[in-house]
Amino acid sequence: MHAVPPLEQDQEIAGATLAAAPAQATHDAPVRDLRRVAIHPDYWYPLAWSHEVKRGKTLGVTFAGDPIVLARTESGKVFALEDRCAHRQVPLHQGMVDGESIRCGYHGWTYDCSGKCIDVPYLGRERLPNGVRSYPCQEVEGLIFVFPGDAALAAERPLPGFRSVSDPKYKTRRFGRPVKCHYSFMHENLMDMNHQFLHRRQMGSMRARSVGRRRGEGWVEVDYTFARVEGQQPFGEAMVFGERRKTGGFNHKDVMTIRTEYPYQTLQIRNDEQTLVMDLWIIYVPLDREQRTNRTFGLLSIRKPGIPGVMNLAWPLLVWFTERIFKEDREIVEAEQRAHDSQGADWNHEVFPVINDLRALLRECGAPDPVVGAGTGNTAVIRFWDSRHGDPLAKT
Amino acid sequence: MHAVPPLEQDQEIAGATLAAAPAQATHDAPVRDLRRVAIHPDYWYPLAWSHEVKRGKTLGVTFAGDPIVLARTESGKVFALEDRCAHRQVPLHQGMVDGESIRCGYHGWTYDCSGKCIDVPYLGRERLPNGVRSYPCQEVEGLIFVFPGDAALAAERPLPGFRSVSDPKYKTRRFGRPVKCHYSFMHENLMDMNHQFLHRRQMGSMRARSVGRRRGEGWVEVDYTFARVEGQQPFGEAMVFGERRKTGGFNHKDVMTIRTEYPYQTLQIRNDEQTLVMDLWIIYVPLDREQRTNRTFGLLSIRKPGIPGVMNLAWPLLVWFTERIFKEDREIVEAEQRAHDSQGADWNHEVFPVINDLRALLRECGAPDPVVGAGTGNTAVIRFWDSRHGDPLAKT
Amino acid sequence: MHAVPPLEQDQEIAGATLAAAPAQATHDAPVRDLRRVAIHPDYWYPLAWSHEVKRGKTLGVTFAGDPIVLARTESGKVFALEDRCAHRQVPLHQGMVDGESIRCGYHGWTYDCSGKCIDVPYLGRERLPNGVRSYPCQEVEGLIFVFPGDAALAAERPLPGFRSVSDPKYKTRRFGRPVKCHYSFMHENLMDMNHQFLHRRQMGSMRARSVGRRRGEGWVEVDYTFARVEGQQPFGEAMVFGERRKTGGFNHKDVMTIRTEYPYQTLQIRNDEQTLVMDLWIIYVPLDREQRTNRTFGLLSIRKPGIPGVMNLAWPLLVWFTERIFKEDREIVEAEQRAHDSQGADWNHEVFPVINDLRALLRECGAPDPVVGAGTGNTAVIRFWDSRHGDPLAKT
């Protein structure tokens, strides 16, 4: 399903030659409006932090407009069901956890972790309706992952790895929040490091230089080095990039690699000894059916410095620094989404080749456009559910 | 116009047999989406409490999207007009009552209680435009009733009766407020007493048992008895259902009868001596054109206990109790409406026969679907008005 | 392009004869719904007060849905550009003024006052994209005027004159704010002085009498005299109309002339010595694409009384008085817009000939209806821009 783009050799791309390729990419034969490409559901997506789903409690979330209830049972297990009672479609998250099952708060219909209806208080047990759709669900590193697509593919599709998060040499900050834009703006924002201009107040005048890019099946990545052209290195930045140096911060031999491996994104910084000093994993999960909002989940791991305790002392400053950066990014990508809404189309004129590679990747890997006349996404949900469970009112 | 369903005999319906009939009702040939069936306008609907329309003042209300101004004249009479000045369509309720007439607040056009324009300050009286639509209007038991449909039918269509309200053996509480859902959700909510589960925190674990149902032309009703399965009887409930008993509340011989007599609904509780101990009359008046909101008007009459004054002492508690119950109901029916909005269709899978009877009744008695190509509801309003008054600018 | 209506002689129009003409005007062959007629862009429109655009700062505004950035350079000059970066369409007003140019806040693309892109920090200067649309822009009397239509016509189209504003015999108040209605409601509101009824609490019971009306190419005007039928003259009104007189205010020989000279409006009061005692210039600039909101800019000049300082002492009262009047007007025209939105059409039944003249003028002078199939306004913007600058990514 995914086209295999030719693997390019690393190549030095000087600023002065960047503008050679771009126009073609935007003037091709009709392409899908990237801002309307739905994310592909056949991957594992985090829908909540573990701490948001307390024992014996529920949490209502959405994936691309589909309502999903997360419930943690008395024994501590988390499961994920369609967040609509089979009876009258009120959200199950307004109900209650009862042992290892969940009861709708309206008339008490009860479902187990597979979505099977196991009790209607005023019906005989031999006549119960079938229930609601369930979703594969796993907890990893404080995140609750759900597989919203074809459940038959869940087992073979790997969860992302989080090596630095579990490595005691690193300290990890978890962050993120809803952002009112299509997920593609988020990928482009992070991958195009020329947007350091946006953070000029926080990061001084850093000049990014792309020093290589690579593509493969389902991924794109780019390497940058940085030079400071003016201004002092802020302290938060020093925390991330390492100790202050006489030259004013970032060593020109440090390399930042940003990679979109669909649908996830990573940003890694290695110093000139090839030590991984910063390791960010991030994902942008669509919330609404139009996918014009996303919830960002980020895990930012920083390698601890040699002196014990220094990291903990400086941590609040790092938090403040990253929050400021993330707020600026959020404001600008939301402005991009508003511009798209107002224009009704993507007018992007990209001049940076790696971003055009990324845009092609997101188009190729996204969900296929819905077939005209095949009904709405809602209908598709029902069909899928029917094919697994049969008619919800049929007697088992 | 209303189909006459066969009158069924009272029949004992044990829980275990309830699920026999339901699937058919939802799998019939295409039926109207109940949540899009407009309420029939040829009935008397309360649009305000009497105290909301002070002497010499106006109140702007709506019925199914039609703006209506209620005005109380200096002499105390209430009348109802289309809430749009014939001139520039600004709401007349922003104007002023002038003796027995109403003046638009913009240029001073003046209408009498029949909607006739009787003055334009800058026009000669012999050249006045005709005016605006008027509505039949009556005040009963603190409610202002309007007949929004064909005025020619108003005289023959009876107002609802309120026997307990005017009976000194009862004390009546007036309540209600806007609720963001289609009126049909309200009828189903009250009639399906299995939803006591929703009120488990207020009412303990009551188990409703339907013991009979009946249908006739324009009405459906069902009888329940109740048993408490666990928990203590709350005090507010004791107020409604009578004194505490050793068995823990509701006597299993008390009978609750819930009846929808289109478009009104009643709930009555009789004790084992056939005394009416509680009598609720309630109506859900659509506010917006899509009829996705309603304003509820309820009159709850409680038979006074033998000892004088006990009722007044306990009344604040009863108010609190009923407000809590009504709040829970409001939240769940609003969740149903949101689910319908999101799904775009009614996915209800009903397993309780009386609710399927009720749903059929509401479909049959509702307004006919608008004929395609016949224009909007707005157009219909104008035509009706024109046919009675002629062109608004024609000279009389 | 503008039809030339026959010039009518001044004519006395007694109230009793006003209703003769109106019905025809509304029963003509299909006419454009006035509330959907777009204002004609080929005029100078104020988009901000001068003090809103500080030196070295930007301001984002809109004209009929088109985003425009106003920027004041270090040297104090104001220029106006399309408020969308050519790269990713984020608003330029979120960027920064840099000397005499403006830099997008995201990746630092830089534009001069003509909209030409003069720097992309990571591209060579010989390969820059072309830039964004610019608008003719002038500052007059504290207002920043922009020409949003065909720039080739800007030089020949005169700016409005403001004689009283620059005359030391007058003191001028600047006022205005966004109003949620189509600009046509504003013109009709001011020109129909029978709406004094709306201000009965502020202005007593003034009775307007229209004593003449005139039409010409692109303009309509009407004269009024006033009589007080009851009540005392408020102090603020005395400020505007002159000293109190024994007859209770307005001298019946004072004449108020209201003129719409497309797209501007003026109201002037001359006393019986033909001295201009009040001079209002006002404009209603559409904000959104549907033109259902406008921002009003008003310059109200009052001739100073003989005694120095009296005007300054009384000024706060005048401000209060005019704010109250303007608030009442705003509320009623917003009610008209809501009525139009709800009805989906203009049901106006006008009985006052000068308002029918005005309505015809606004229809004739408005922008032509968009040709079906010719694309959206957005597309038109792009085409216009392309025709002047060529493809934004073409190399110069």
Side-chain angles (χ1 to χ4, degrees):
Chain A
M1 174 170 192
H2 300 163
V4 184
L7 191 68
E8 299 181 16
Q9 293 301 313
D10 287 15
Q11 53 187 171
E12 182 77 19
I13 302 174
T17 66
L18 279 179
Q24 280 71 19
T26 58
H27 291 187
D28 270 349
V31 291
R32 308 163 74 187
D33 180 339
L34 176 58
R35 313 315 177 186
R36 299 182 201 273
V37 172
I39 212 164
H40 204 294
D42 289 342
Y43 292 89
W44 288 96
Y45 292 93
L47 300 190
W49 300 106
S50 292
H51 67 81
E52 294 178 293
V53 188
K54 306 266 189 272
R55 193 176 295 250
K57 299 293 180 188
T58 64
L59 182 71
V61 295
T62 58
F63 174 84
D66 288 339
I68 295 174
V69 56
L70 304 176
R72 192 180 298 275
T73 68
E74 299 298 338
S75 70
K77 179 186 166 189
V78 175
F79 63 86
L81 303 181
E82 179 185 356
D83 194 12
R84 277 186 286 242
C85 181
H87 180 207
R88 302 181 69 86
Q89 291 74 57
V90 295
L92 291 175
H93 79 260
Q94 294 183 214
M96 55 184 283
V97 171
D98 187 2
E100 301 300 302
S101 60
I102 185 170
R103 305 187 74 175
C104 176
Y106 199 173
H107 299 84
W109 291 32
T110 308
Y111 305 89
D112 69 12
C113 67
S114 74
K116 189 180 161 198
C117 182
I118 57 171
D119 186 38
V120 173
Y122 49 100
L123 277 191
R125 302 235 162 191
E126 70 286 5
R127 303 178 169 277
L128 293 175
N130 271 337
V132 297
R133 178 179 176 180
S134 70
Y135 294 89
C137 182
Q138 293 190 63
E139 260 186 301
V140 182
E141 291 294 353
L143 285 168
I144 299 174
F145 281 86
V146 165
F147 197 89
D150 180 356
L153 304 175
E156 72 191 49
R157 192 72 74 165
L159 278 161
F162 299 100
R163 255 173 300 175
S164 301
V165 176
S166 53
D167 183 338
K169 290 195 291 293
Y170 295 82
K171 181 169 168 71
T172 297
R173 168 162 152 69
R174 290 166 168 78
F175 68 99
R177 49 171 294 178
V179 182
K180 297 193 200 91
C181 75
H182 191 258
Y183 61 90
S184 61
F185 290 113
M186 306 295 286
H187 278 272
E188 295 178 56
N189 168 269
L190 188 64
M191 192 163 277
D192 186 349
M193 271 295 139
N194 298 305
H195 93 271
Q196 291 288 341
F197 185 76
L198 175 69
H199 306 304
R200 59 198 177 275
R201 291 175 212 85
Q202 321 306 326
M203 304 196 65
S205 287
M206 305 265 290
R207 175 65 61 86
R209 185 182 183 84
S210 72
V211 293
R213 59 178 169 126
R214 295 167 294 281
R215 300 168 63 182
E217 183 172 357
W219 60 270
V220 169
E221 69 181 19
V222 59
D223 297 330
Y224 293 97
T225 59
F226 287 82
R228 180 171 305 282
V229 290
E230 56 184 71
Q232 270 231 315
Q233 185 190 35
F235 190 70
E237 180 196 313
M239 281 280 307
V240 176
F241 292 120
E243 64 196 50
R244 284 159 182 272
R245 293 166 183 144
K246 281 178 189 161
T247 56
F250 213 131
N251 188 308
H252 71 278
K253 289 185 183 161
D254 291 349
V255 174
M256 175 188 286
T257 302
I258 302 170
R259 176 183 177 98
T260 291
E261 181 158 357
Y262 195 86
Y264 315 113
Q265 199 168 37
T266 56
L267 182 156
Q268 299 185 318
I269 299 173
R270 285 181 173 77
N271 65 15
D272 50 5
E273 293 153 3
Q274 294 302 309
T275 302
L276 183 63
V277 296
M278 176 173 147
D279 189 5
L280 170 69
W281 180 92
I282 196 159
I283 175 75
Y284 321 105
V285 183
L287 296 175
D288 58 317
R289 190 160 303 282
E290 302 289 313
Q291 307 203 9
R292 295 187 179 188
T293 55
N294 74 82
R295 186 174 176 192
T296 295
F297 294 88
L299 299 175
L300 174 64
S301 300
I302 306 284
R303 189 173 175 95
K304 297 174 185 171
I307 305 163
V310 167
M311 181 68 111
N312 288 337
L313 279 172
W315 196 251
L317 191 63
L318 181 90
V319 169
W320 174 84
F321 178 72
T322 50
E323 285 296 307
R324 287 286 295 266
I325 296 287
F326 188 61
K327 179 170 185 289
E328 288 177 339
D329 284 328
R330 201 173 67 237
E331 286 169 357
I332 204 76
V333 292
E334 293 185 345
E336 288 192 282
Q337 180 67 55
R338 282 193 301 272
H340 184 275
D341 291 346
S342 150
Q343 293 148 18
D346 187 9
W347 294 3
N348 179 273
H349 290 297
E350 195 47 62
V351 297
F352 191 31
V354 70
I355 298 303
N356 280 317
D357 286 353
L358 172 63
R359 291 164 59 86
L361 176 80
L362 294 174
R363 276 198 205 90
E364 290 160 15
C365 293
D369 283 333
V371 179
V372 175
T376 68
N378 282 317
T379 310
V381 166
I382 303 203
R383 282 186 187 149
F384 174 74
W385 174 71
D386 283 353
S387 68
R388 292 173 60 238
H389 290 295
D391 184 273
L393 288 178
K395 308 302 160 288
T396 52
Chain B
M1 174 172 191
H2 299 162
V4 184
L7 192 68
E8 296 181 19
Q9 293 300 313
D10 285 16
Q11 53 186 172
E12 182 76 19
I13 303 173
T17 66
L18 279 179
Q24 281 70 18
T26 58
H27 290 184
D28 271 349
V31 290
R32 307 163 75 186
D33 180 339
L34 176 57
R35 313 316 177 186
R36 299 182 201 273
V37 173
I39 213 165
H40 204 294
D42 289 341
Y43 292 90
W44 288 97
Y45 291 93
L47 300 190
W49 300 106
S50 291
H51 67 79
E52 293 178 292
V53 188
K54 306 267 189 270
R55 193 176 294 250
K57 299 293 180 189
T58 64
L59 182 70
V61 295
T62 58
F63 174 84
D66 288 339
I68 295 175
V69 56
L70 304 176
R72 192 181 298 276
T73 67
E74 299 299 337
S75 71
K77 181 186 167 189
V78 175
F79 63 85
L81 303 181
E82 179 186 355
D83 194 13
R84 277 187 285 242
C85 182
H87 180 208
R88 302 180 70 87
Q89 293 73 55
V90 295
L92 291 175
H93 78 259
Q94 293 183 215
M96 56 183 284
V97 172
D98 186 3
E100 301 300 301
S101 61
I102 185 170
R103 304 186 75 174
C104 176
Y106 200 174
H107 299 85
W109 291 31
T110 308
Y111 305 89
D112 69 12
C113 66
S114 73
K116 189 180 161 199
C117 183
I118 58 171
D119 187 38
V120 172
Y122 48 100
L123 278 190
R125 301 233 163 191
E126 70 286 3
R127 304 178 167 276
L128 294 175
N130 271 337
V132 298
R133 179 179 176 181
S134 70
Y135 294 89
C137 182
Q138 294 190 62
E139 259 185 302
V140 182
E141 292 294 353
L143 285 168
I144 298 173
F145 281 85
V146 166
F147 197 89
D150 179 356
L153 303 175
E156 72 191 49
R157 192 70 78 165
L159 278 161
F162 299 101
R163 255 173 301 175
S164 301
V165 176
S166 53
D167 184 337
K169 291 195 291 295
Y170 294 82
K171 183 169 167 72
T172 297
R173 168 160 153 69
R174 290 166 166 80
F175 68 99
R177 48 172 293 178
V179 182
K180 296 193 201 92
C181 76
H182 191 256
Y183 61 90
S184 61
F185 290 113
M186 306 296 286
H187 278 271
E188 295 177 57
N189 169 269
L190 188 64
M191 192 163 276
D192 188 348
M193 271 294 138
N194 298 304
H195 93 273
Q196 291 288 342
F197 185 76
L198 176 68
H199 306 303
R200 59 199 176 275
R201 291 175 212 84
Q202 322 305 329
M203 303 197 65
S205 287
M206 305 264 292
R207 174 66 59 88
R209 184 181 184 82
S210 73
V211 292
R213 59 178 169 125
R214 294 168 295 280
R215 303 168 61 180
E217 185 171 356
W219 59 271
V220 169
E221 69 181 21
V222 59
D223 297 329
Y224 293 97
T225 59
F226 287 83
R228 180 170 305 283
V229 291
E230 56 184 70
Q232 270 231 314
Q233 186 191 32
F235 189 70
E237 181 195 313
M239 280 281 307
V240 175
F241 293 120
E243 64 195 50
R244 285 159 180 273
R245 295 169 181 139
K246 282 177 187 159
T247 54
F250 214 131
N251 188 308
H252 71 280
K253 289 185 183 161
D254 291 350
V255 174
M256 174 188 286
T257 301
I258 302 169
R259 175 183 177 98
T260 290
E261 183 160 356
Y262 195 86
Y264 315 114
Q265 199 168 37
T266 57
L267 182 157
Q268 298 185 317
I269 300 174
R270 285 181 173 77
N271 67 15
D272 51 4
E273 294 152 1
Q274 295 301 310
T275 303
L276 183 63
V277 296
M278 176 173 147
D279 190 6
L280 170 68
W281 179 92
I282 195 162
I283 175 74
Y284 320 106
V285 182
L287 295 176
D288 58 317
R289 192 161 300 284
E290 302 289 312
Q291 307 204 8
R292 295 187 179 188
T293 55
N294 73 83
R295 185 174 177 192
T296 295
F297 293 88
L299 299 176
L300 175 64
S301 299
I302 306 285
R303 189 174 174 94
K304 297 173 184 171
I307 306 162
V310 166
M311 181 67 110
N312 288 336
L313 280 172
W315 196 251
L317 192 62
L318 180 91
V319 169
W320 174 83
F321 177 72
T322 50
E323 285 295 307
R324 287 286 294 266
I325 296 288
F326 187 61
K327 180 170 185 289
E328 288 177 340
D329 285 328
R330 201 173 67 236
E331 286 170 358
I332 204 76
V333 292
E334 292 185 346
E336 289 193 281
Q337 180 68 54
R338 283 194 299 273
H340 183 277
D341 290 347
S342 150
Q343 294 147 17
D346 187 11
W347 293 3
N348 180 273
H349 290 297
E350 195 47 62
V351 297
F352 191 31
V354 70
I355 299 303
N356 280 318
D357 286 352
L358 172 64
R359 291 164 59 85
L361 176 80
L362 294 174
R363 276 198 205 89
E364 291 159 14
C365 293
D369 282 334
V371 180
V372 175
T376 68
N378 282 317
T379 311
V381 166
I382 303 203
R383 282 184 187 152
F384 175 74
W385 175 72
D386 283 352
S387 67
R388 292 172 62 236
H389 291 295
D391 184 273
L393 289 178
K395 307 304 162 285
T396 52
Chain C
M1 173 172 191
H2 299 163
V4 183
L7 191 68
E8 297 181 18
Q9 292 301 313
D10 285 16
Q11 54 187 168
E12 180 78 18
I13 302 173
T17 65
L18 279 179
Q24 280 70 19
T26 58
H27 291 187
D28 271 347
V31 289
R32 308 163 74 186
D33 181 339
L34 176 57
R35 314 313 179 188
R36 299 182 202 274
V37 173
I39 213 164
H40 204 294
D42 288 342
Y43 292 90
W44 288 97
Y45 291 94
L47 299 190
W49 301 106
S50 290
H51 67 80
E52 294 178 293
V53 188
K54 307 265 189 272
R55 192 177 296 250
K57 300 293 180 189
T58 65
L59 181 71
V61 295
T62 58
F63 174 83
D66 288 339
I68 295 174
V69 56
L70 304 176
R72 192 181 297 277
T73 67
E74 300 298 337
S75 71
K77 179 186 166 189
V78 175
F79 63 86
L81 303 180
E82 179 186 356
D83 194 13
R84 276 186 286 242
C85 182
H87 179 209
R88 303 181 69 87
Q89 292 74 55
V90 295
L92 291 175
H93 78 259
Q94 293 183 213
M96 57 184 283
V97 172
D98 186 2
E100 302 299 302
S101 61
I102 185 169
R103 304 187 74 174
C104 177
Y106 200 173
H107 299 85
W109 291 32
T110 308
Y111 305 90
D112 69 13
C113 66
S114 73
K116 188 180 162 198
C117 183
I118 56 171
D119 186 39
V120 172
Y122 49 100
L123 278 189
R125 302 235 162 189
E126 71 286 6
R127 303 177 167 276
L128 294 175
N130 271 337
V132 298
R133 179 180 175 181
S134 70
Y135 294 89
C137 182
Q138 294 190 61
E139 259 185 304
V140 182
E141 291 294 353
L143 286 168
I144 298 173
F145 282 85
V146 166
F147 198 88
D150 180 356
L153 304 176
E156 71 191 50
R157 192 71 77 165
L159 277 162
F162 299 101
R163 255 173 299 174
S164 301
V165 176
S166 53
D167 183 338
K169 290 195 291 295
Y170 294 82
K171 182 168 167 72
T172 297
R173 169 161 153 68
R174 290 167 168 78
F175 68 99
R177 46 172 294 177
V179 182
K180 297 194 200 91
C181 75
H182 190 258
Y183 61 89
S184 61
F185 290 113
M186 306 294 286
H187 278 272
E188 295 178 56
N189 169 268
L190 187 64
M191 192 164 276
D192 187 349
M193 270 295 139
N194 297 304
H195 94 272
Q196 290 289 341
F197 185 76
L198 175 70
H199 305 304
R200 59 197 178 275
R201 292 175 211 84
Q202 321 306 328
M203 304 198 65
S205 287
M206 304 264 291
R207 175 66 60 86
R209 185 181 182 84
S210 73
V211 292
R213 59 177 169 126
R214 294 169 293 281
R215 302 169 61 183
E217 184 172 357
W219 60 270
V220 169
E221 68 181 19
V222 59
D223 296 329
Y224 292 97
T225 59
F226 287 83
R228 179 170 306 281
V229 290
E230 55 184 73
Q232 270 231 315
Q233 186 190 34
F235 188 71
E237 182 194 314
M239 281 280 305
V240 176
F241 292 120
E243 65 195 51
R244 284 159 182 271
R245 294 167 182 144
K246 282 176 188 162
T247 55
F250 213 131
N251 188 309
H252 70 279
K253 289 186 184 160
D254 291 350
V255 174
M256 175 188 285
T257 301
I258 302 169
R259 176 183 177 97
T260 290
E261 181 158 357
Y262 195 86
Y264 315 113
Q265 199 167 37
T266 56
L267 182 155
Q268 298 185 318
I269 300 174
R270 286 182 172 76
N271 65 16
D272 50 6
E273 294 154 1
Q274 295 300 312
T275 303
L276 183 63
V277 295
M278 176 173 147
D279 190 5
L280 170 69
W281 179 91
I282 195 161
I283 176 74
Y284 320 106
V285 182
L287 295 175
D288 58 317
R289 190 160 302 283
E290 302 289 311
Q291 307 203 7
R292 295 188 179 187
T293 55
N294 73 83
R295 185 174 177 192
T296 295
F297 293 88
L299 299 176
L300 175 64
S301 300
I302 307 284
R303 190 175 173 92
K304 297 173 184 170
I307 306 163
V310 167
M311 181 68 111
N312 288 337
L313 280 171
W315 196 251
L317 191 64
L318 180 91
V319 169
W320 174 84
F321 177 72
T322 50
E323 284 296 306
R324 288 286 294 267
I325 296 287
F326 188 61
K327 180 170 185 290
E328 288 177 339
D329 284 329
R330 201 174 67 236
E331 285 169 358
I332 205 76
V333 292
E334 292 184 346
E336 288 193 281
Q337 180 68 54
R338 284 194 299 273
H340 184 276
D341 290 346
S342 150
Q343 294 148 16
D346 187 10
W347 293 4
N348 179 272
H349 290 296
E350 195 48 64
V351 296
F352 190 31
V354 70
I355 299 303
N356 280 317
D357 287 352
L358 171 64
R359 291 164 59 85
L361 176 80
L362 294 174
R363 277 199 205 87
E364 291 160 15
C365 293
D369 282 334
V371 180
V372 175
T376 67
N378 282 318
T379 310
V381 166
I382 303 202
R383 283 185 186 150
F384 175 74
W385 175 72
D386 283 353
S387 67
R388 292 175 61 238
H389 291 296
D391 184 272
L393 289 178
K395 309 304 162 285
T396 52

